[in-house]
Amino acid sequence: MTSGEAEMSRRRLISGPGTLLVWLYGVMVVGAVSRSAYQIATEFDRAPLAYSLSAVAGVVYGFITYTLVRGGETARRIALACCVAELVGVLTVGTWTLVEPSAFPDATVWSDFGMGYLFIPVLLPLSAIYWLRKGAPREGAA
């Protein structure tokens, strides 16, 4: 891939809807990391699992944000894998909080499929997966 093609691939990830994804993931990084950092520092013994999962969510959001901004085919593939992992996490934790609410004395970012965050945690990876798959190079394309 030439440098011009690499730059075009990078721009394609963060143009149009990709720009909105970067901003939304950035907001989620700030929300999840700041919330979990405060909770871990001040009341970790109250709900260690919930607060730790929120911290993990913040790290995942940060990594996805970085790969989207970085751009390029390798970053797109990594972001896609991370978004799939994020979606699995949201669905797992969301289901877990409904089936066994006593395991979570306090909410995580992904509790109830992200209801406390307007369901953005479940909608964001779905949107990102669609965008990243749409931006994938086509077989046989020169």
Side-chain angles (χ1 to χ4, degrees):
M1 180 181 288
T2 67
S3 65
E5 290 170 333
E7 180 61 27
M8 189 65 155
S9 176
R10 180 186 178 284
R11 264 187 272 146
R12 200 169 36 235
L13 285 180
I14 60 171
S15 64
T19 304
L20 179 60
L21 287 174
V22 168
W23 279 99
L24 288 172
Y25 271 111
V27 168
M28 293 304 290
V29 169
V30 171
V33 169
S34 61
R35 175 184 179 177
S36 64
Y38 174 78
Q39 290 171 321
I40 288 170
T42 62
E43 51 194 11
F44 186 72
D45 56 330
R46 183 172 157 214
L49 178 61
Y51 303 152
S52 297
L53 287 171
S54 288
V56 168
V59 170
V60 170
Y61 293 145
F63 192 73
I64 293 170
T65 303
Y66 169 76
T67 56
L68 289 171
V69 170
R70 175 148 169 70
E73 184 56 23
T74 301
R76 186 194 61 76
R77 287 184 192 146
I78 292 169
L80 183 58
C82 288
C83 289
V84 169
E86 172 195 0
L87 182 59
V88 168
V90 171
L91 295 176
T92 300
V93 172
T95 302
W96 191 0
T97 57
L98 295 176
V99 172
E100 186 59 46
S102 63
F104 297 90
D106 203 354
T108 74
V109 173
W110 294 343
S111 292
D112 304 316
F113 307 103
M115 185 168 59
Y117 286 79
L118 305 174
F119 296 103
I120 291 171
V122 76
L123 297 173
L124 195 54
L126 291 171
S127 303
I129 290 167
Y130 173 77
W131 176 249
L132 292 165
R133 289 197 51 160
K134 181 180 175 193
R138 305 288 180 245
E139 296 270 335

